[in-house]
Structure formats: structure tokens, C-alpha cells
């Protein structure tokens, strides 16, 4: 599975959009991009995933560049409850997920 | 549905002791996995299973055994605990067959003295 690179930490003002970048320059054509988050020491929570097209659900939007070498997770209106560590993972699917250290997002009041 | 459940929530062992971490899911998921998370680090895959009777090694399998005799259960066994196995252990499951969003349990916090 391809490795990912994410910033260690980011801040975002409450109510503003949080844009979390991820580089995955060695991604292969059939690997998906998954995003999870982990609040405090709870189990990670699935957010969204995509292959080529941009995706949106009730939690977030996922923008994947045309060359698929990077992506951005967008939380449209960040709240204090969105403070968490966000993990970007590329995977063929199945259940072999390789987590990095993620981005620690702090939403500031 | 209870989702993914893990027992115990906390456990303290002495070096050399053995124990089994329990994981169960009631969502009829084919895929199940075990991860460990050390302080300040991401999750690392220990073992995984794509169905009853099928298991395979992940990134850090040494010191751990698994079995999958039923779809619902995926226990993780520590045969001879070592301080290096002090960690938080998470179990996860997913439907499989192209629907691979993983659902995680609440974790087991293990300390080996």
C-alpha cells in the first residue's frame, strides 16, 4: 500500500472550513483514498473515501486531484467536536489499512 | 446493533503471562482486523481475517496469535506478554465485498509490567 504524507498539526477557527491535505504520490490506479479520525483515545471513525471522483457525505467532502497524487478533506463548518487526529490512508480495499501519524486538528473557539 | 465490542477495557499483566483479548461484532461483517496503537503514534496492523477460518499477518504480528472460528468473533492471544506489548488494542470489522469502511471497537488498554 502507498504511503501518505500529512502535516503534523493544523488549527482552524470554529465555523470556518477545515482543509486537511494529504500527499500520496505513489498511489496505484486501483487504490482508494480513505479518511478516518480519532477523537481522544477512542477507536477511529470512518469519514469518507474515494477512488477518482470527488465525494461528499454528511460529514465532509473529499477532493482528489486529477493525477490522484494528493487529496484534501474538507470539513465545511468546523465545530469544537471536530478536534481530533485525522488519518489519510490509501488502500486496495480489503482490511489491510496502514495508518500514519495523521494530522492533529485543533478547532479554536 | 452493538457494533464492535471489545473486552476487557483495561488489563494489567505481568511479564510472561498469557491472555486473550476478545472482539465480537454483530453486523455480519466478513472482514475483521486487530491493530495496536502506541503513545503518539498511528495504528499498526497486527493480524487480519477476510472470513471464518482465514487469517493472515499484518505489519507487527510477532508475539500474537489469532483465530477466526466464527464470523462474529476474532480473539487476539498474547502467549507470553512482554513490556513492549503495552499498548492500546483496537479491533475493527468491515462488510468486505467492496464495502471496506472499517468500524472500530472502543479499545483495550493493556499494561505489561
Amino acid at each position: 500500500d502507498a504511503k501518505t504524507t500529512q502535516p503534523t498539526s493544523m488549527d482552524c477557527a470554529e465555523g470556518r472550513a477545515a482543509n486537511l491535505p494529504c500527499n500520496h504520490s505513489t498511489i496505484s490506479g486501483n487504490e482508494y483514498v480513505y479518511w478516518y479520525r480519532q477523537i481522544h483515545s477512542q477507536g477511529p471513525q470512518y469519514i469518507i473515501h474515494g477512488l477518482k471522483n470527488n465525494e461528499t457525505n454528511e460529514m465532509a467532502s473529499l477532493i482528489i486531484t486529477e493525477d490522484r497524487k494528493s487529496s484534501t478533506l474538507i470539513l465545511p463548518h468546523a465545530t469544537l467536536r471536530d478536534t481530533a487526529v485525522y488519518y489519510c490512508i490509501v488502500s486496495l480495499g480489503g482490511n489491510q489499512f496502514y495508518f500514519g501519524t495523521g494530522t492533529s486538528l485543533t478547532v479554536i473557539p | 446493533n452493538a457494533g464492535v465490542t471489545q473486552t476487557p477495557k483495561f488489563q494489567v499483566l505481568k511479564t510472561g503471562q498469557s491472555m486473550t483479548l476478545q472482539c465480537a461484532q454483530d453486523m455480519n461483517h466478513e472482514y475483521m482486523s486487530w491493530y495496536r496503537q502506541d503513545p503518539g503514534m498511528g495504528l499498526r496492523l497486527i493480524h487480519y481475517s477476510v472470513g471464518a477460518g482465514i487469517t493472515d499477518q499484518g505489519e507487527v504480528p510477532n508475539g500474537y496469535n489469532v483465530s477466526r472460528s466464527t464470523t462474529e468473533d476474532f480473539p487476539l492471544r498474547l502467549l507470553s506478554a512482554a513490556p513492549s506489548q503495552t499498548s492500546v488494542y483496537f479491533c475493527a470489522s468491515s462488510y468486505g465485498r467492496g464495502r471496506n469502511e472499517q468500524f472500530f471497537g472502543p479499545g483495550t488498554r493493556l499494561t505489561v509490567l
Side-chain angles (χ1 to χ4, degrees):
Chain A
D1 288 329
K3 290 186 177 179
T4 61
T5 304
Q6 299 177 252
T8 302
S9 63
M10 294 180 62
D11 293 337
C12 177
E14 188 178 18
R16 303 297 295 270
N19 296 282
L20 291 89
C22 179
N23 285 321
H24 31 80
S25 58
T26 59
I27 191 171
S28 64
N30 53 354
E31 285 184 309
Y32 289 80
V33 179
Y34 288 82
W35 282 85
Y36 283 75
R37 72 181 183 184
Q38 188 174 26
I39 298 173
H40 298 300
S41 298
Q42 299 175 20
Q45 176 189 23
Y46 166 80
I47 301 173
I48 198 168
H49 76 283
L51 183 63
K52 295 181 182 178
N53 300 321
N54 298 337
E55 302 287 345
T56 296
N57 62 21
E58 64 278 4
M59 289 183 67
S61 295
L62 173 61
I63 308 298
I64 303 175
T65 58
E66 191 169 347
D67 63 7
R68 304 206 329 119
K69 292 185 177 181
S70 65
S71 61
T72 301
L73 177 74
I74 302 172
L75 308 178
H77 305 288
T79 71
L80 299 180
R81 287 177 292 181
D82 292 322
T83 292
V85 177
Y86 287 77
Y87 296 99
C88 169
I89 302 158
V90 293
S91 174
L92 289 169
N95 52 349
Q96 300 173 56
F97 280 26
Y98 294 91
F99 288 74
T101 52
T103 296
S104 178
L105 175 69
T106 301
V107 179
I108 302 169
Chain B
N1 287 348
V4 179
T5 57
Q6 293 184 238
T7 56
K9 287 187 169 55
F10 300 94
Q11 183 69 48
V12 178
L13 292 177
K14 294 181 179 179
T15 297
Q17 287 185 314
S18 63
M19 80 159 296
T20 299
L21 308 185
Q22 302 292 344
C23 174
Q25 53 89 13
D26 61 357
M27 298 174 281
N28 201 30
H29 284 173
E30 287 293 321
Y31 291 1
M32 297 186 75
S33 306
W34 275 103
Y35 296 84
R36 62 176 285 175
Q37 184 173 34
D38 299 325
M41 298 182 66
L43 283 72
R44 291 186 290 170
L45 182 65
I46 305 172
H47 285 284
Y48 63 97
S49 169
V50 297
I54 306 170
T55 64
D56 209 342
Q57 296 181 351
E59 191 180 0
V60 287
N62 292 340
Y64 308 95
N65 282 349
V66 293
S67 60
R68 184 96 181 271
S69 56
T70 67
T71 299
E72 294 78 18
D73 301 298
F74 191 43
L76 178 72
R77 298 184 185 84
L78 285 72
L79 298 180
S80 179
S84 60
Q85 294 178 304
T86 293
S87 191
V88 180
Y89 291 84
F90 291 102
C91 179
S93 73
S94 58
Y95 185 73
R97 305 177 193 177
R99 293 170 53 186
N100 297 320
E101 308 92 274
Q102 294 195 50
F103 294 83
F104 284 80
T108 293
R109 285 150 182 77
L110 175 69
T111 301
V112 183
L113 302 175

